[in-house]
Amino acid sequence: MTKDMTDNTIVSQKNTVLRRGKLSFLLRSSEPNVFITTHDQPENTVDHRRSNASSLSPVLSSTSSPVHFMSPINQMPSPYTKSPWILPFINGDDGNIQNTGLIGSLIREEGHIYSLASSGDLLYTGSDSKNIRVWKNFMEFSGFKSSSGLVKTIVVSGDRIFTGHQDGKIRVWKYLDKKKKAYKRVGNLPTTKDYIKSSLNPNNYIEVRRRRNVPWIKHYDAVACMSLDEERGLLYSGSWDKSFKVWRLSDSKCLESVHAHEDAINSFVVGFDGLVFTGSADGTVKVWRRELVGKTMKHLMIHTLLDQDSAVTSLVINAAEATVYAGSSDGLVNFWEREKQTLSHGGVLRGHKLAVLCLAAAGNLLLSGSADKSICVWRRDGGGIHTCLSVLNGHTGPVKCLAVQEPVEDDDQNNQDWIVYSGSLDNSVKLWRVSEQPLICNC
């Protein structure tokens, strides 16, 4: 009897180890642990960064930030102590900031940086400290703190800030006090009134786990992503509970809940032509369209773009070019382009050795942040060709999130510059200047 129990225990432990090998499991349990067993990538290595959709070889820009520009970690006596930006401006021979490179760094003791949002001249940062910090002109402008749940995603809509948390809650904030520069919490999604009303009706409950039922209007696991459809006045939230929900901005009402995947939803983006896209730890990218079904509007899945073993970790849209990009745990970025009435697979961008954790689009540029601590800057040259213009090195931990600010004015309209923020599990936020036509080192 004892031997049988021991054998069963060993088998159970082996199965557990195998399951822990999947990124989807690790994402659901403890994100930082996904990366601690991986091998470090040699700095400034770019020979592996190429797109199989491009015949051009990638080039490392001379202005890609090398490791020696990395800011030292400052020891703060308190997480509430103001932390100045370190500004190691990278100057050219003429004294001007070069067109691609590191501008500044900010390191705090508040833990890993999980989310960023840029709105005008303000930057919002979320971390596992439950604090949301607001920055302006390299200074701490304001901040606010949630009662629980690390901040996994932030979106800004007008004067409202929506934050999605590890505890499954979506909190709503407003900038209400100009003198004190104070933000105040003004509600939740769902609203308390709607949640109580829904919970009173047994028909509003769904089974989420064995012997556990919850009202359908509330996420019961981490809110990993949110996306705005400003034109239709909608906010979408995707969760590790495998569902996405649709919220009406005008009255904060939950219009719909869709069980979309067989594992955690890691990314959700509002696309083009009335389409929205979801990416999941189950390895799929799905396409949805909101259509009239009977008397109500519902989201119907119309296509599966990708179905693979590796978890899909991030999605981004280039709306102008009607292109969808999907990063995954195998270090690849797949992309699809609109052709007539369909989306066709355009190719794969091979720029990272470890998982791609975040993506951002800026004009003709795509930026991919990875667990290998680097950010690849890709330029779309047309015809499905993408060239790796530069590799931004400087983080000492996985790059978890990216945000793009309004473009920098430039006399040369063919040389667009962008301000890019990157957040990392090394507890830092870095500010980069990125050009669509970076200077190339011919030496």
Side-chain angles (χ1 to χ4, degrees):
M1 180 72 175
T2 304
K3 184 178 185 300
D4 291 341
M5 292 179 63
T6 303
D7 291 341
N8 290 336
T9 301
I10 293 173
V11 171
S12 176
Q13 289 175 343
K14 288 182 177 179
N15 290 336
T16 301
V17 170
L18 290 174
R19 288 197 301 271
R20 286 178 182 271
K22 296 177 64 177
L23 181 67
S24 59
F25 179 88
L26 291 168
L27 279 170
R28 294 177 61 77
S29 56
S30 178
E31 284 183 295
N33 292 338
V34 175
F35 319 107
I36 58 176
T37 59
T38 55
H39 296 290
D40 287 343
Q41 166 191 336
E43 301 292 350
N44 298 332
T45 300
V46 296
D47 58 335
H48 63 285
R49 291 180 166 88
R50 63 178 68 249
S51 163
N52 68 355
S54 172
S55 59
L56 302 178
S57 299
V59 182
L60 177 63
S61 167
S62 62
T63 52
S64 296
S65 175
V67 176
H68 62 264
F69 283 117
M70 186 173 57
S71 304
I73 297 179
N74 294 331
Q75 297 299 322
M76 297 296 174
S78 164
Y80 297 100
T81 302
K82 290 191 174 183
S83 172
W85 284 79
I86 301 171
L87 305 174
F89 288 104
I90 304 172
N91 295 327
D93 295 335
D94 57 357
N96 296 322
I97 301 173
Q98 294 185 5
N99 60 347
T100 293
L102 181 65
I103 296 178
S105 295
L106 171 72
I107 300 178
R108 298 183 67 88
E109 286 188 335
E110 292 188 324
H112 305 309
I113 306 298
Y114 281 100
S115 52
L116 298 171
S118 176
S119 178
D121 57 357
L122 298 178
L123 173 68
Y124 298 83
T125 62
S127 69
D128 51 11
S129 70
K130 309 169 190 175
N131 293 327
I132 300 94
R133 296 294 184 189
V134 190
W135 309 89
K136 182 177 181 179
N137 298 328
F138 303 108
M139 299 292 291
E140 186 164 2
F141 177 76
S142 183
F144 43 99
K145 182 176 182 179
S146 64
S147 58
S148 62
L150 66 87
V151 187
K152 296 190 68 64
T153 178
I154 306 172
V155 296
V156 181
S157 176
D159 62 348
R160 286 184 294 178
I161 299 93
F162 298 88
T163 56
H165 298 260
Q166 181 81 27
D167 59 9
K169 294 182 180 179
I170 300 172
R171 295 172 169 90
V172 189
W173 313 80
K174 265 190 176 183
Y175 180 54
L176 296 179
D177 193 331
K178 292 183 179 180
K179 291 184 178 180
K180 296 182 180 180
K181 300 179 181 178
Y183 288 79
K184 295 183 180 179
R185 182 175 166 185
V186 293
N188 306 301
L189 296 180
T191 63
T192 302
K193 179 181 178 181
D194 286 345
Y195 181 72
I196 294 174
K197 182 179 178 180
S198 177
S199 63
L200 294 176
N201 186 349
N203 294 329
N204 289 330
Y205 282 76
I206 58 173
E207 185 177 4
V208 296
R209 295 192 185 101
R210 188 179 179 184
R211 297 180 181 177
R212 185 188 176 190
N213 296 329
V214 297
W216 67 269
I217 66 171
K218 185 181 184 299
H219 287 299
Y220 66 89
D221 207 338
V223 178
C225 49
M226 293 188 292
S227 186
L228 281 168
D229 186 342
E230 297 276 15
E231 182 180 347
R232 294 173 176 81
L234 300 176
L235 172 70
Y236 293 87
S237 59
S239 170
W240 286 357
D241 64 15
K242 310 173 188 177
S243 76
F244 70 83
K245 300 189 188 299
V246 188
W247 310 88
R248 189 164 58 203
L249 291 173
S250 61
D251 58 4
S252 301
K253 183 177 179 60
C254 185
L255 302 177
E256 187 183 1
S257 179
V258 181
H259 183 90
H261 290 272
E262 297 306 312
D263 208 333
I265 295 178
N266 292 323
S267 188
F268 189 109
V269 289
V270 173
F272 41 83
D273 300 336
L275 303 177
V276 296
F277 301 84
T278 55
S280 168
D282 64 12
T284 64
V285 175
K286 294 183 178 181
V287 189
W288 308 79
R289 179 182 283 120
R290 191 168 183 247
E291 298 181 356
L292 185 63
V293 179
K295 296 182 179 180
T296 59
M297 298 295 291
K298 293 186 177 181
H299 284 79
L300 303 178
M301 192 193 79
I302 61 174
H303 190 53
T304 299
L305 289 181
L306 183 66
D307 190 352
Q308 61 180 16
D309 292 333
S310 300
V312 176
T313 54
S314 52
L315 296 173
V316 77
I317 300 292
N318 182 330
E321 300 295 337
T323 303
V324 185
Y325 297 92
S328 52
S329 61
D330 55 11
L332 303 180
V333 178
N334 283 270
F335 67 94
W336 297 262
E337 301 172 306
R338 180 176 58 191
E339 289 186 0
K340 296 181 180 180
Q341 300 300 317
T342 63
L343 284 167
S344 61
H345 188 253
V348 180
L349 308 182
R350 305 175 186 274
H352 296 284
K353 289 185 175 180
L354 301 179
V356 174
L357 302 179
C358 51
L359 296 171
N364 291 322
L365 298 181
L366 171 74
L367 298 105
S368 56
S370 170
D372 65 15
K373 310 172 189 177
S374 72
I375 303 166
C376 283
V377 181
W378 307 87
R379 184 182 64 204
R380 176 190 169 88
D381 294 322
I385 296 176
H386 290 70
T387 305
C388 184
L389 298 179
S390 55
V391 182
L392 307 180
N393 292 304
H395 282 294
T396 59
V399 181
K400 189 66 178 67
C401 47
L402 294 165
V404 179
Q405 191 178 306
E406 292 297 321
V408 178
E409 293 294 332
D410 199 305
D411 294 335
D412 183 1
Q413 295 182 355
N414 296 320
N415 185 16
Q416 184 66 71
D417 288 356
W418 301 85
I419 295 298
V420 176
Y421 299 96
S422 59
S424 169
L425 301 189
D426 63 8
N427 301 358
S428 79
V429 177
K430 293 189 182 296
L431 171 64
W432 312 85
R433 184 184 179 107
V434 178
S435 173
E436 295 187 11
Q437 299 286 341
L439 299 175
I440 303 299
C441 177
N442 295 318
C443 56

